[in-house]
Amino acid sequence: MSYPRLLSHILEGKEYGPMLKSPDVEQRRAEWRDLFKSLIACPPKDRAVADSFHTQWHVSHHYIRQLVDDDALLIDMLWVWLPRYNGNSVVLYRGENIDRLECGLLGTAWSDKEQAASLFASGLNAVGKGGVILRTLAPASIIIAGPSKHSIYLGEREFTVDTRKLTEIERIRHFGPCELLRR
């Protein structure tokens, strides 16, 4: 795959499952890492492309994260490609998977709505040991982007955070493994 094709994959909101389930997933991951390295050196050409990327990031970030498989590279690219947050420090919540948290793999998607974090902590992220709601006071300097229009529409109000710079994170509620997800 070429870089323009992979970038188009994101911007057009195409499916990621076949790539993640393919026998050559490691080759795909290498291609996606190469793409993200190139995107760091090549910012979006205009605000419309950045906004489109922002929307698709909110829709598919969990799949993109699996394909890139390098959180530091991913975050470096997000600083270049997402529209810059311009606001104050804010209390944010995240519904995280406990297994990933214990491995130091903290996701970048945080909300200023505890209820949104609760949905993820008790649902999609409640696998393995379960899910947890995290809370932090995020300084404006570590918030990469605020919510996209799509994220606001969904009520998730998703902020993208440089988790490498978070200093204080509080665990405020634990959820056991979700019965529906274990089947």
Side-chain angles (χ1 to χ4, degrees), residues 10-16 51-64 109 120 124 148-151 154 156 158 160:
I10 296 170
L11 296 175
E12 295 170 12
K14 293 183 179 174
E15 191 176 349
Y16 295 89
D51 288 343
S52 177
F53 181 87
H54 194 202
T55 296
Q56 292 306 320
W57 171 248
H58 283 155
V59 171
S60 304
H61 60 85
H62 50 292
Y63 296 120
I64 296 169
F120 286 95
L124 290 175
S148 66
K149 290 178 184 176
H150 179 74
S151 178
L154 293 176
E156 293 175 350
E158 183 178 302
T160 303

Side-chain angles (χ1 to χ4, degrees), residues 2-70:
S2 66
Y3 297 148
R5 186 171 173 198
L6 291 176
L7 182 56
S8 293
H9 192 102
I10 296 170
L11 296 175
E12 295 170 12
K14 293 183 179 174
E15 191 176 349
Y16 295 89
M19 283 187 273
L20 288 165
K21 294 176 185 172
S22 76
D24 59 349
V25 68
E26 290 309 317
Q27 179 183 342
R28 298 285 161 253
R29 284 187 170 127
E31 292 169 351
W32 280 82
R33 283 190 292 271
D34 287 346
L35 167 68
F36 276 49
K37 289 173 189 171
S38 73
L39 292 178
I40 290 170
C42 182
K45 293 182 179 173
D46 57 47
R47 179 65 189 230
V49 172
D51 288 343
S52 177
F53 181 87
H54 194 202
T55 296
Q56 292 306 320
W57 171 248
H58 283 155
V59 171
S60 304
H61 60 85
H62 50 292
Y63 296 120
I64 296 169
R65 183 181 186 200
Q66 288 178 37
L67 279 168
V68 174
D69 198 31
D70 182 336

Side-chain angles (χ1 to χ4, degrees), residues 85-106:
Y85 174 72
N86 185 18
N88 297 318
S89 298
V90 62
V91 174
L92 295 176
Y93 302 88
R94 174 160 174 82
E96 185 61 88
N97 173 266
I98 293 171
D99 299 308
R100 281 195 304 262
L101 178 63
E102 289 177 351
C103 290
L105 299 172
L106 190 57

